[in-house]
Amino acid sequence: MPLLEETTLLGDVPFNIPVIVIGNGPSGICLSYLLSGYRPYKAPGAVHLNPILNNKLEEGINFSIVDQVMNGSMLTISMNSWMELPGLKLKDWTNGKWRNLMNDRATPEEVASYYKDYVKIMGLQKNFIGNTCVTSVSKLQQDQKYIKGKIPKSVQKDPTTQQLPATENGFPHSPWEVRGYQRSGDGSNVPFCLYAENVVLAIGTNDLPARLGVEGEELPFVFHSISAFESAIKSCRVSQASDPVLIVGAGLSAADAVLCANHHGIPVLHTFRRSVTDPTLIFKQLSKKLYPEYHKVYQKMCKQCYITNSCSNYTSFPETCIVSFVPDMKCILQTASGRSIILSISMALVLIGTYPNLSFLKEHGKYLGIDPSKPISCKKNPIDINPYTFECTKESGIFAMGPLIGDNFVRFLKGGALGITSCLVQRLKEKEQLISETGNDDG
């Protein structure tokens, strides 16, 4: 997790925690906001487009949405702005000043700053432990570690009571052991071990780039991120006079790379496996008015094909596959008809998607997916959850939200934060009621 200013240090955190949220992107921030006690209510006079949900909201007008039992309607709650988090409108944060006034879209830098400031404005800094890396999340084996009297070294007594945290049976009640390290100011790694009743996976899916798996992909001129391209431009390793840059992929990351190259006048060879008429292409799902730059890229993909209209600064190669990369700065393609094409390039950018880094879970988290035989993937194999509580169906006490379950947009992840908060609040009420019912005069 990237370092946030004014965050809590691990030394200030109790070792036994009700909820640990892994991830400090918009998913984790939104959930932290609700778990900190903020409660959403239906705005007076607001009408939801879904009449059934609107009636349910009207019936519980005096109760927060977290405290209402919404059944299957929880997932249909919508918000006005795509990138906003609860309680702070983007336009209020920017005082109504946007760089792009025509389509009211913020830049990635503005959105990142908004999320960072949101944590401070809402007073959530104490909930975030920055500059940390989680290396292991595992089920706590109480019979091995406590019943036999083997207390882990990481378990410390409460400094005020000099007692170990315990439940009614005398043993710590947290079933999840979370291990990792925090990078200190001097560059050293300080290990930590915490225990949690619940763990929420909110890390997104951008940690590990997808790979082609072809020969030569590990050669030094083959990269898997736009940042590598930007670095090459700044260092003048690629320029208008260079051989073309090969961009592989037909998604928004590949389109961003094309736009970046066009801006700097760098020639591009753009290869992708799908046809330009494929209805699943992301460009066909975006508004031309809101995303004119992406539609310009799509027009290039369609009209500046190597077969019909090769252009000096951009040429597309639809329905082609990468066969291999060759050490002398060449790439071999294969068309749908089986024809081989050899290209001379200055560098290659393979931008075909990303996967989440779930190495801290057993089997890299595959067992949590809809198909446990495949890696977790936002589009092809999301984590399987209860649609109302967002708890993993394969593992109680583990929750997931955001891209890990297929919710790629900020406006969707708010439903996940509500579902998880509602579930945990309800369980806390049930736990308190149980303790009350089983208590006695001596307690």
Side-chain angles (χ1 to χ4, degrees), residues 244-417:
V245 171
L246 176 68
I247 298 175
V248 184
L252 296 184
S253 294
D256 286 336
V258 171
L259 292 170
C260 181
N262 288 347
H263 177 73
H264 292 279
I266 298 171
V268 170
L269 302 175
H270 188 187
T271 176
F272 42 96
R273 294 184 298 176
R274 287 186 276 178
S275 166
V276 292
T277 60
D278 190 326
T280 64
L281 284 174
I282 185 62
F283 309 102
K284 292 182 174 293
Q285 303 171 38
L286 298 177
S287 164
K288 291 183 180 181
K289 183 178 180 180
L290 288 177
Y291 304 93
E293 71 276 32
Y294 288 136
H295 279 275
K296 288 181 180 179
V297 172
Y298 179 57
Q299 289 176 357
K300 288 179 177 289
M301 293 166 63
C302 296
K303 297 180 180 181
Q304 295 178 207
C305 174
Y306 75 105
I307 297 176
T308 59
N309 187 17
S310 180
C311 183
S312 60
N313 68 340
Y314 176 92
T315 305
S316 70
F317 294 81
E319 298 183 83
T320 57
C321 296
I322 304 294
V323 176
S324 64
F325 296 99
V326 184
D328 61 351
M329 307 292 288
K330 287 183 172 59
C331 176
I332 302 176
L333 307 181
Q334 186 177 66
T335 68
S337 63
R339 174 190 170 191
S340 293
I341 301 176
I342 301 177
L343 304 174
S344 294
I345 60 177
S346 60
M347 67 183 297
L349 296 173
V350 180
L351 304 172
I352 57 174
T354 56
Y355 291 93
N357 184 359
L358 297 174
S359 59
F360 52 83
L361 294 172
K362 68 178 182 181
E363 302 176 9
H364 289 252
K366 288 200 302 183
Y367 78 106
L368 298 176
I370 293 177
D371 185 345
S373 67
K374 298 179 180 178
I376 298 297
S377 168
C378 170
K379 294 182 179 179
K380 298 179 180 179
N381 189 37
I383 290 178
D384 192 13
I385 60 162
N386 179 305
Y388 310 131
T389 66
F390 291 77
E391 188 172 27
C392 296
T393 59
K394 312 285 178 58
E395 193 75 88
S396 61
I398 294 284
F399 297 79
M401 62 182 299
L404 290 175
I405 62 171
D407 287 347
N408 291 311
F409 297 103
V410 175
R411 69 182 189 275
F412 293 153
L413 65 83
K414 297 168 188 174

Side-chain angles (χ1 to χ4, degrees), residues 2-50:
L3 180 63
L4 285 174
E5 296 177 1
E6 304 177 23
T7 55
T8 303
L9 297 176
L10 276 167
D12 302 327
V13 177
F15 92 101
N16 197 66
I17 303 171
V19 184
I20 288 180
V21 181
I22 302 177
N24 68 348
S27 295
I29 294 173
C30 185
L31 179 58
S32 178
Y33 172 82
L34 294 180
L35 291 178
S36 295
Y38 292 95
R39 293 292 179 260
Y41 286 80
K42 181 180 181 295
V47 178
H48 197 278
L49 296 178
N50 185 315

Side-chain angles (χ1 to χ4, degrees), residues 430-443:
E430 293 173 354
K431 181 179 179 180
E432 292 175 345
Q433 181 179 1
L434 180 62
I435 293 175
S436 176
E437 291 175 351
T438 58
N440 52 53
D441 295 337
D442 297 329

Side-chain angles (χ1 to χ4, degrees), residues 86-207:
L88 180 62
K89 292 184 178 295
L90 267 167
K91 285 191 175 181
D92 292 341
W93 176 76
T94 60
N95 294 321
K97 296 178 182 179
W98 293 93
R99 294 185 183 180
N100 191 334
L101 297 178
M102 291 186 63
N103 55 27
D104 203 30
R105 287 168 59 195
T107 66
E109 293 81 8
E110 287 172 330
V111 174
S113 296
Y114 164 75
Y115 292 146
K116 188 174 182 179
D117 286 351
Y118 181 92
V119 172
K120 297 179 181 179
I121 293 171
M122 296 301 178
L124 306 177
Q125 302 100 313
K126 64 183 182 301
N127 297 346
F128 289 81
I129 305 175
N131 224 24
T132 59
C133 178
V134 174
T135 58
S136 172
V137 175
S138 58
K139 202 83 169 182
L140 182 64
Q141 302 298 324
Q142 290 186 342
D143 57 336
Q144 296 178 8
K145 292 190 173 184
Y146 295 95
I147 295 178
K148 294 182 180 180
K150 298 180 180 179
I151 305 298
K153 294 181 180 179
S154 57
V155 177
Q156 302 295 325
K157 293 181 179 179
D158 186 299
T160 57
T161 65
Q162 291 300 305
Q163 298 291 323
L164 290 171
T167 58
E168 295 80 9
N169 59 10
F171 303 121
H173 58 269
S174 302
W176 295 103
E177 180 183 79
V178 180
R179 291 183 177 271
Y181 60 85
Q182 182 177 38
R183 289 178 290 278
S184 62
D186 61 7
S188 61
N189 294 332
V190 181
F192 67 82
C193 180
L194 303 172
Y195 295 92
E197 298 178 25
N198 305 282
V199 173
V200 180
L201 305 177
I203 64 171
T205 61
N206 295 320
D207 295 316

